Amino acid sequence: MTRFDGSLRLEGERVLLRPFGPADLDAITTAMREGENFLPPNVPSGGDPLHWWLSQGVHDLARTGLGLHLAVTDRVTGGLSGAIGIWGVDWPVGAALCGYAIRRPERGRGLATDALRTLSRWALSEGGLRRLELRIREGNVPSLRVAEKSGFRHEGLLRAADRDPDGGIAGQHVFSLLAADLEAGDSAAGTRRLVGVGVGPGDPELVTAKGVRILREADVVLVPVMAPDEEGRAESVVRAYTTKAERVVFALNDRGGVTERRAAAWDAAAERVVRAFDDGAATVAFATIGDPHVYSTFTYLAQTVRELRPGTEIAAVPGITAMQDLAARSGTVLAEGAESVTLVPMTGGDAAFTALRSALESGDTVVAYKFGSVADEVIGALKDAGRLDGAVYGARLGLPGEEVRAARELTGPVPYLSALIVPGVRRGGRGGRL
Ligand SMILES: C[S@@+](CC[C@H](N)C(=O)[O-])C[C@H]1O[C@@H](n2cnc3c(N)ncnc32)[C@H](O)[C@@H]1O
C-alpha cells in the first residue's frame, strides 16, 4: 500500500473517525477562533488554509499517500470532538507520525485514547504501516497518559525540540507503537499479568529502562503505602514516570510475624488486583522499593493473587537494592574474588544477632538491613568482632535526608531505611581474595 483511502471511517468504543467535510466548517471555524488548531501539519501556507483543506486537502493527503486527517466525532451525538491524523509517511520503511487534538470542552472523557487506539490498530494492520510515532511536548501530562493508555512505548526525550505554551522551549517525548507489539499483545490476549517492578532505593534515576516501560504500559500501577493519605517511598519514585500510581495500604511497619493487619492488607491488595483484571486490565504493575525478590511485600501479594486467580502470570522486573546503592555511594566493594556476601535482616531477635556474629567471624562481607531499632547493639557486635573500621552506613539513600558515612560515626536513633556494609577483610594487596 502506498496511499490511504480518503473515505476511511473507523468506529471506536466512543468515537467515530470519519473524513472532514464542508459540513464541519462552522464547528472548525468556532474551534479555531477559540485558539484550537485542527489543521494537519502539512497544509500549504498562503491563501485560505481552511478552505483548501476542506475542499481538497484531506483527499490530497490520502491520495498522495502523505497522510490521513480524520474528524473525531462522538458516536452518540455526532458532534465534532477533535481531529486525529497520520503524516510524514515513509512507505518503504512503513513508518509514520501521528497526532491528535481534542476540543477543550470534550477533554477528560477518554476520547483521545479511544481515537488513538482505533486509528493506530487500523494503521498497523490494514493500513499497511509497521511503525507509528507520537511526539508529545514535555509536561503535557494528559497527552502522555493517552500515549501510555493506548499502548505506545516511550523511546526517549528529544531535548529543546518543542515550544511550550508560554512561548518558551521544551523537550519532546517520543513514543512508538509497532505492528509487532500488537501481534505480541494479541497472542497474549486473555492472559492477566501481575508484575512486581523494583524501583530501586529512592533515586528515580535508578529505575531500569524495563521498569519504566512496564510502569508506563501497565493498565494499573499500585504502590504500597502505610496510610491512604501518605505518599509511599515507591510512589515518590514512580511519580517521576507515570501519573497513574494508585495507593494500596499495607501494614508495612508491623512486626512479629503474620499479624492480622498484615494478612488483611495482603488480602485487600490482592482483591484490588483481581478487580482490576475483572475491569479489563491486562497488566497490573506493583512498584516496590529496591528489588521485588528481596524482602518485599510483592512476594506476599503475588502469592495471594495466585491463590485467588490461579491463571495469573506473575512476573518481576529486578531493581537495584539498597546495598548496591550504598556500595556505589560510599565507594565500598561488596565482594572480591572468593568472598561471600551475607545479608542479615536484624528484625529476627537473638537469632539475627547469632547470624550476624557468625557472618562477621568469617571475615567476608556482611550487610545488615532493618536494624533501626537495634542500631547500638549492631554497632557493638561489629566492635566486638573487630570489624567496625571500614564499615559504612547509609540512610534514606536517594531520598530527601540521605546520609552516607562511616559506621563508627553512628550515634542516636537511626531510621528504618538504613543499611550497613561491613566489607570483607582484604589483606595481601590487589587481588588478595582471588
Ligand atoms: C523491607 S526491606 C526492602 C528491601 C528492598 N526490597 C531492597 O531490595 O533493597 C527494607 C530495608 O531495606 C533497606 N533499604 C531499603 N531502601 C533503603 C534506602 N533508600 N536507604 C537505606 N536503606 C534502605 C533498609 O535496610 C530497610 O530496613
Side-chain angles (χ1 to χ4, degrees):
M1 187 188 280
T2 51
R3 65 193 183 90
F4 294 115
D5 173 2
S7 61
L8 181 72
R9 294 169 79 84
L10 297 169
E11 276 190 38
E13 275 173 34
R14 296 179 215 181
V15 296
L16 168 71
L17 310 181
R18 58 152 178 81
F20 278 97
D24 296 313
L25 187 61
D26 286 350
I28 297 169
T29 312
T30 311
M32 290 183 76
R33 251 190 234 120
E34 288 164 4
E36 310 205 57
N37 187 3
F38 279 6
L39 294 182
N42 50 350
V43 168
S45 54
D48 176 1
L50 190 56
H51 182 261
W52 171 85
W53 175 47
L54 282 177
S55 59
Q56 73 169 72
V58 173
H59 305 288
D60 269 0
L61 269 180
R63 190 171 43 75
T64 55
L66 291 174
L68 263 179
H69 200 68
L70 300 173
V72 177
T73 64
D74 187 313
R75 264 182 72 162
V76 180
T77 64
L80 182 64
S81 306
I84 186 160
I86 291 177
W87 64 92
V89 187
D90 180 338
W91 284 110
V93 175
L97 287 161
C98 67
Y100 43 82
I102 298 292
R103 298 175 70 175
R104 274 185 210 99
E106 305 281 320
R107 290 179 193 168
R109 297 173 47 212
L111 300 181
T113 304
D114 192 20
L116 183 61
R117 271 180 175 270
T118 306
L119 182 62
S120 58
R121 268 57 181 174
W122 173 86
L124 295 170
S125 52
E126 291 137 85
L129 294 177
R130 280 194 198 93
R131 169 189 166 88
L132 266 188
E133 190 179 307
L134 267 180
R135 298 204 174 182
I136 300 173
R137 181 178 46 76
E138 200 179 6
N140 185 352
V141 174
S143 200
L144 292 170
R145 287 277 284 128
V146 168
E148 290 170 5
K149 283 196 284 184
S150 306
F152 277 69
R153 227 175 246 192
H154 188 249
E155 292 189 329
L157 179 72
L158 302 176
R159 296 176 302 159
D162 210 338
R163 298 185 89 100
D164 69 29
D166 309 325
I169 296 298
Q172 208 175 46
H173 289 284
V174 180
F175 285 83
S176 74
L177 184 67
L178 306 187
D181 297 338
L182 295 180
E183 279 156 24
D186 284 348
S187 66
T191 58
R192 300 281 178 255
R193 213 163 50 123
L194 171 66
V195 189
V197 179
V199 297
D203 178 352
E205 284 194 323
L206 293 186
V207 185
T208 63
K210 185 168 182 174
V212 171
R213 177 173 67 74
I214 298 285
L215 290 172
R216 288 189 167 141
E217 284 176 9
D219 302 289
V220 173
V221 176
L222 302 179
V223 288
V225 293
M226 288 203 241
D229 53 353
E230 255 178 51
E231 187 178 63
R233 290 180 289 259
E235 181 182 0
S236 66
V237 182
V238 161
R239 293 256 180 241
Y241 298 106
T242 174
T243 49
K244 62 188 166 196
E246 180 187 321
R247 295 176 181 173
V248 279
V249 178
F250 282 88
L252 295 172
N253 50 356
D254 263 25
R255 297 283 165 270
V258 185
T259 61
E260 237 173 76
R261 273 184 65 220
R262 264 186 170 151
W266 296 335
D267 289 342
E271 277 154 22
R272 174 65 193 98
V273 172
V274 167
R275 205 166 61 246
F277 291 150
D278 290 344
D279 289 344
T283 301
V284 175
F286 179 82
T288 181
I289 276 290
D291 182 273
H293 288 140
V294 180
Y295 304 128
S296 164
T297 28
F298 176 67
T299 315
Y300 313 114
L301 174 67
Q303 207 175 322
T304 318
V305 169
R306 228 184 240 126
E307 281 158 16
L308 285 179
R309 279 293 153 90
T312 307
E313 181 191 327
I314 307 285
V317 178
I320 291 170
T321 59
M323 65 176 166
Q324 290 167 289
D325 198 15
L326 176 57
R329 285 175 199 268
S330 62
T332 307
V333 176
L334 268 175
E336 266 190 11
E339 277 172 16
S340 32
V341 179
T342 308
L343 172 57
V344 190
M346 297 309 301
T347 37
D350 288 347
F353 276 92
T354 307
L356 178 70
R357 285 196 195 96
S358 105
L360 288 169
E361 263 167 39
S362 72
D364 285 340
T365 299
V366 183
V367 178
Y369 268 17
K370 309 190 200 176
F371 57 91
S373 56
V374 289
D376 287 343
E377 292 91 321
V378 169
I379 295 298
L382 263 61
K383 241 186 235 161
D384 293 347
R387 305 277 313 262
L388 189 55
D389 287 343
V392 287
Y393 161 78
R396 302 189 196 89
L397 298 162
L399 296 161
E402 173 186 287
E403 269 182 70
V404 175
R405 52 181 147 123
R408 92 171 78 77
E409 293 167 16
L410 203 62
T411 48
V414 305
Y416 172 69
L417 283 187
S418 297
L420 190 71
I421 301 177
V422 188
V425 179
R426 291 162 196 148
R427 296 194 189 97
R430 183 169 66 177
R433 296 294 307 255
L434 280 168

